Amino acid sequence: MNLPLGLLLAWIFSLVEVGAQTNLPAIEVEPVRPVVLKGEKAEWRVALKGGTNTPALTYLIRQDGGPKKIAEGSVVWVSGEGRIETVAHEPGALLLELKGAGEKVLGGVVVSPE
């Protein structure tokens, strides 16, 4: 293969740029408290492990994992940590679904009636 040097360098730099854009961290989510009472705040921490880019993440919280939407939005990063919260209005479970960077991550909180 006999490519001109400028074309070869442009091709190499484009590969490096693509690699830099896809160097995304693993996304971890954990509830602040895995069980909350009805009427209390349900919270999750979102952490990034590895990678050099902070991905744009959106979230959706559903009651009992069903079609009823409780909250949705974008994760706001403060000092490398994301925080998501909502109020638990009904007993059961709240299922958090995070999407972004080609990943889908789930987290849950149980809502006790008492």
Side-chain angles (χ1 to χ4, degrees), residues 25-77:
I27 301 163
E28 295 182 355
V29 63
E30 109 179 275
V32 173
R33 291 185 0 230
V35 179
V36 297
L37 299 176
K38 179 180 154 186
E40 289 185 331
K41 186 171 23 173
E43 300 175 273
W44 293 266
R45 281 188 214 102
V46 181
L48 305 174
K49 301 295 180 190
T52 56
N53 295 331
T54 303
L57 298 177
T58 59
Y59 69 87
L60 175 62
I61 301 172
R62 295 182 186 272
Q63 180 71 39
D64 299 320
K68 184 177 179 183
K69 292 181 186 178
I70 303 299
E72 60 186 319
S74 297
V75 175
V76 177
W77 300 99

